């Protein structure tokens, strides 16, 4: 797993941990649909960890599903995951945010071409004006 993938695996795990601490998932009786959502979330993390190529397509569909089913919890999903999985997830991002992620990718690719380590977190903070 590349450092870039590892960061996004962590973003998935953080989102999962945030989701399971929110209603409706904290209620004693959750619906079968809600239970399946959590099981699918766990499976996505497992597939991602194991290096499954299917995890990318499944991730895109899952993130879209999360936004559709739980819009009130969408803020618990790192925006990085929308960019990472791409496709229909990009419809949930404004153009200026997409441009920042494109710039971040350009910097990452340039570092890789030079054979340099890339500090994703600090470079991201810089591109997004957070430091």
């Amino acid at each position: 797993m590349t450092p870039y993938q590892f960061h996004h695996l962590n973003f998935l795990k953080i989102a999962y941990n945030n989701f399971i601490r929110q209603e409706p998932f904290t209620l004693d009786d959750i619906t079968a649909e809600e239970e399946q959502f959590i099981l699918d979330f766990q499976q996505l993390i497992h597939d991602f960890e194991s290096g499954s190529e299917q995890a990318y397509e499944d991730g895109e569909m899952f993130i879209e599903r999360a936004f559709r089913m739980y819009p009130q919890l969408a803020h618990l999903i790192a925006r990085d995951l929308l960019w990472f999985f791409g496709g229909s997830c990009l419809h949930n991002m404004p153009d200026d945010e997409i441009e920042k992620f494109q710039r971040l990718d350009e910097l990452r690719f340039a570092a890789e071409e030079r054979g340099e380590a890339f500090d994703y977190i600090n470079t991201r903070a810089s591109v997004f004006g957070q430091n």
Side-chain angles (χ1 to χ4, degrees), residues 32-121:
E33 184 179 44
E34 291 159 348
E35 184 175 353
Q36 188 60 54
F37 179 84
I38 292 300
L39 292 172
D40 290 346
F41 211 154
Q42 292 170 343
Q43 186 64 50
L44 175 60
I45 291 168
H46 177 272
D47 290 348
F48 196 94
E49 285 178 314
S50 66
S52 168
E53 287 296 318
Q54 188 64 35
Y56 293 96
E57 184 177 327
D58 291 347
E60 175 189 349
M61 291 186 304
F62 183 83
I63 297 296
E64 270 297 299
R65 182 172 149 210
F67 268 70
R68 189 176 56 257
M69 289 178 66
Y70 304 104
Q72 74 281 12
L73 301 178
H75 68 281
L76 300 175
I77 299 171
R79 307 294 293 171
D80 303 68
L81 291 171
L82 297 171
W83 177 255
F84 183 78
F85 289 118
S88 59
C89 294
L90 299 178
H91 296 293
N92 295 298
M93 300 176 78
D95 291 342
D96 65 320
E97 187 176 32
I98 289 173
E99 290 170 9
K100 289 176 182 174
F101 278 107
Q102 286 173 332
R103 177 71 182 133
L104 184 58
D105 273 355
E106 290 167 2
L107 294 170
R108 181 172 57 89
F109 295 142
E112 289 173 2
E113 285 177 8
R114 293 187 305 269
E116 298 173 357
F118 183 73
D119 184 341
Y120 182 85
I121 299 298

Side-chain angles (χ1 to χ4, degrees), residues 6-22:
F6 184 74
H7 284 298
H8 290 82
L9 172 59
N10 283 334
F11 289 137
L12 273 176
K13 288 179 177 181
I14 291 167
Y16 172 80
N17 286 326
N18 286 333
F19 263 70
I20 63 171
R21 289 182 174 90
Q22 303 297 318

Side-chain angles (χ1 to χ4, degrees), residues 100 124-131:
K100 289 176 182 174
R124 183 197 186 287
S126 178
V127 168
F128 281 79
Q130 297 170 334
N131 63 353

